[in-house]
Amino acid sequence: MQHRAMSNAAMGRAQREPADGDIVREQAVLFRLTDRLYRANGLGEIYDAALNAICDALGSSRASILRFDSHGVMSFVAWRSLSEEYREAVNGHTPWTRGEHNAEPIFVEDIRLSGESRQLIDTVLGEGIEALAFIPLASSHELIGKFMVYYPAPHRFADRERELALTIARQLGFAIERKRAETTAARLSALVESSDDAIIATDTDGIVTDWNSGAERLYSYGRKEMIGRPLMLLIPPDRQNEEREILARIRNGEHVEHFETVRLRKDGSSIPISLTVSPIADASGAIVGVSKIARDISERLRAQEQRELLLREMDHRVKNLFAIASSIVNLSASAAETPAALASTVSDRLGALARAHALTMFPSTGPSVQVATSLHALIAAILAPYRHGADEHPRFAISGIDMPVPSAMITPLSLLLHEFATNAAKHGSLSAAAGSIEIACSNSDGKVTVQWREVGGPSPVETEDEGFGSRLVRAAASELGGVVRDWDPAGIVLEITIDIERFSP
């Protein structure tokens, strides 16, 4: 709006000093406003209290409150005695922009002399309004809206009325800002409390001031146990300097993002966490505390360790398969009469190796597939690539009892047999053209024994070194029962012992 101030001559009225009764009435109005704003449970009660005060203090029966909406439009949020048609016609009209600072109130003592467009003047007059005031509403850092008061005839605004209008505007602005802050704080509090992450606040000396339910679940300390106590209770002795360094960085205004460390639960057990640390500042920007968000990364670390183990195993097994393939080619080449015969022999043996490898794969993460096989069949599948030597004599013989192998036992037993066969091909009887393996299966005293005896190969060399293969043998054997090695000069002897109950379906 473009507004022109009216002269005393135009209005024909003189300013007057307020009487004592007026002052008492105004103070009563402001007291009631302050009391109602303090007790208000929502914006609706705040607006109602403010409209009462505006009308009582400024001597009018008509008033309104408008706020900037999310689109930056000044819209009505509360009013007294204004028609819907009028509100729709002037909605969005404002003398100030949202980002304006130090907006000054505007008092229009006669709308006919305001300098506004004829259309707007006619709209205002059509509502029975001849004088009105625009009073800006501001929070601590921005313009948030305005309130308006209307008169049915030209009105000279006394200095006292102007002061009252600004006082009511300040109180209303503060009340709106406080309610908005309370709403935001309540929403953030609900988000913090419902978070699965541990969210903790401390002062700048590391004393706990806030502790959410996620922190209770992660560390096992209740809120009442930790409020007012030092956060050092959660930090292992060898990491205490780490916390001091973090606090020093936070005091300098720094953030610490996704820092992986270890903390202690109430029972003294350690837990790996990912930690984000941020400074908490007051309205002036001074750092008054520290916010810490911790997430349990135990599952992620376990999954990472499992992936690394599987990758190491895959690397190990691929190298073994290359070694076996090389051995097959060398053994086959000495007996092959033509390249075609060599290709056929190698292809057949590599195909058997692939079938044996399929039996040694770990179960997938999807629905398990029940594989029906017997003890003899499983052993034969693993040793299929070595069935015949250079002179076509059998390289292994299986004897003794045969029984179904449960699906849960196939993987560990296949891993053991595959490792035995690989070592035999590299260093044992299968590395010699005339070497062979004798496998005897027996059942005695509630235990099934699979004896693996190598003959015709080089004398075994006992070693104390434990490589990946040895660790794999030990791990697989622990799932079955046990493995015993005998470094016989004639050839290594291995015995796998399994409780008979493990063969029950």
Side-chain angles (χ1 to χ4, degrees):
M1 268 192 176
Q2 296 175 349
H3 302 289
R4 295 201 300 258
M6 297 190 67
S7 67
N8 292 346
M11 296 305 301
R13 296 177 181 176
Q15 297 274 5
R16 66 182 179 87
E17 292 295 325
D20 291 342
D22 291 337
I23 295 175
V24 172
R25 180 181 59 81
E26 292 166 0
Q27 290 178 342
V29 169
L30 294 177
F31 175 81
R32 286 195 301 271
L33 174 61
T34 302
D35 183 64
R36 288 194 61 188
L37 292 179
Y38 176 77
R39 298 174 184 274
N41 291 320
L43 284 176
E45 294 186 11
I46 289 174
Y47 296 151
D48 186 67
L51 288 174
N52 282 348
I54 293 167
C55 292
D56 291 346
L58 300 179
S60 175
S61 63
R62 310 175 82 178
S64 65
I65 299 172
L66 297 90
R67 297 273 309 276
F68 285 112
D69 63 19
S70 58
H71 302 290
V73 177
M74 185 81 83
S75 301
F76 286 87
V77 294
W79 57 88
R80 293 282 169 83
S81 303
L82 293 177
S83 68
E84 183 177 356
E85 292 76 15
Y86 175 76
R87 287 185 279 112
E88 289 180 355
V90 300
N91 194 65
H93 184 276
T94 175
W96 315 291
T97 61
R98 187 171 194 171
E100 190 167 341
H101 297 283
N102 302 318
E104 294 293 334
I106 298 172
F107 299 91
V108 181
E109 298 178 336
D110 189 334
I111 188 63
R112 299 177 186 86
L113 305 177
S114 64
E116 286 294 337
S117 68
R118 188 72 252 172
Q119 181 181 5
L120 182 58
I121 291 173
D122 289 344
T123 299
V124 174
L125 291 173
E127 185 70 7
I129 299 170
E130 295 191 17
L132 63 163
F134 297 74
I135 311 300
L137 299 175
S139 68
S140 59
H141 57 280
E142 65 177 349
L143 186 68
I144 60 175
K146 66 181 178 181
F147 83 70
M148 299 194 66
V149 60
Y150 311 92
Y151 297 89
H155 182 83
R156 180 65 179 272
F157 291 90
D159 290 342
R160 186 65 184 172
E161 288 177 316
R162 296 170 186 256
E163 292 173 4
L164 279 170
L166 293 176
T167 300
I168 292 171
R170 281 193 292 269
Q171 292 206 43
L172 178 55
F174 292 155
I176 292 172
E177 183 175 33
R178 176 175 60 83
K179 184 53 63 177
R180 184 166 59 181
E182 288 176 355
T183 301
T184 301
R187 184 168 59 249
L188 291 176
S189 178
L191 288 172
V192 167
E193 196 58 29
S194 63
S195 174
D196 290 332
D197 292 336
I199 302 178
I200 303 167
T202 72
D203 63 17
T204 54
D205 293 322
I207 303 301
V208 176
T209 57
D210 292 284
W211 185 268
N212 78 333
S213 297
E216 291 184 341
R217 290 189 293 270
L218 184 63
Y219 299 118
S220 303
Y221 285 100
R223 180 181 282 102
K224 292 182 179 179
E225 291 180 279
M226 286 303 298
I227 298 296
R229 302 180 71 184
L231 197 64
M232 285 291 190
L233 287 172
L234 306 180
I235 302 175
D238 60 342
R239 292 178 180 264
Q240 303 264 320
N241 284 334
E242 170 189 292
E243 177 66 8
R244 297 186 186 98
E245 291 172 2
I246 290 175
L247 285 176
R249 292 175 60 183
I250 293 299
R251 291 188 190 105
N252 290 329
E254 297 183 46
H255 293 252
V256 179
E257 298 285 346
H258 305 299
F259 173 65
E260 293 191 3
T261 185
V262 176
R263 292 294 181 259
L264 299 176
R265 292 189 179 94
K266 185 177 181 179
D267 62 6
S269 60
S270 61
I271 179 170
I273 63 170
S274 175
L275 188 64
T276 297
V277 188
S278 305
I280 300 173
D282 62 12
S284 68
I287 296 171
V288 296
V290 182
S291 168
K292 297 191 174 188
I293 303 176
R295 175 168 295 180
D296 182 357
I297 58 173
S298 301
E299 288 297 329
R300 177 168 68 78
L301 293 181
R302 280 194 288 269
Q304 181 178 327
E305 290 174 0
Q306 184 178 14
R307 286 195 299 271
E308 290 174 354
L309 175 63
L310 291 175
L311 287 172
R312 289 198 303 270
E313 181 193 340
M314 183 172 68
D315 177 69
H316 172 77
R317 296 178 78 175
V318 167
K319 288 177 180 176
N320 280 343
L321 288 174
F322 277 123
I324 292 170
S326 177
S327 175
I328 289 172
V329 171
N330 290 334
L331 288 172
S332 301
S334 61
E337 296 181 355
T338 64
L342 174 61
S344 176
T345 300
V346 170
S347 177
D348 289 344
R349 289 175 175 171
L350 287 178
L353 177 62
R355 291 191 297 274
H357 181 70
L359 287 174
T360 66
M361 292 296 291
F362 284 110
S364 69
T365 56
S368 60
V369 179
Q370 299 294 321
V371 180
T373 188
S374 71
L375 183 58
H376 284 202
L378 179 62
I379 297 170
I382 300 300
L383 291 174
Y386 316 99
R387 184 174 298 279
H388 300 289
D391 55 359
E392 296 300 315
H393 77 273
R395 303 299 303 274
F396 65 88
I398 306 171
S399 61
I401 66 165
D402 193 13
M403 55 200 308
V405 179
S407 59
M409 193 186 297
I410 289 177
T411 293
L413 186 55
S414 297
L415 283 172
L416 280 175
L417 295 171
H418 180 72
E419 196 65 27
F420 294 168
T422 298
N423 289 335
K426 288 181 178 179
H427 315 292
S429 59
L430 296 183
S431 67
S436 63
I437 303 171
E438 298 173 355
I439 301 102
C441 305
S442 61
N443 180 8
S444 178
D445 298 327
K447 295 185 181 298
V448 174
T449 300
V450 179
Q451 185 186 74
W452 173 291
R453 180 182 295 275
E454 298 184 18
V455 295
S459 296
V461 178
E462 185 173 358
T463 177
E464 297 297 328
D465 295 336
E466 186 181 54
F468 180 82
S470 298
R471 293 196 300 273
L472 186 62
V473 167
R474 180 160 47 81
S478 66
E479 294 188 47
L480 299 172
V483 173
V484 177
R485 287 184 177 89
D486 181 7
W487 303 89
D488 190 308
I492 191 170
V493 178
L494 302 160
E495 283 192 358
I496 307 171
T497 304
I498 308 168
D499 290 337
I500 189 65
E501 290 83 3
R502 298 291 301 276
F503 287 87
S504 301

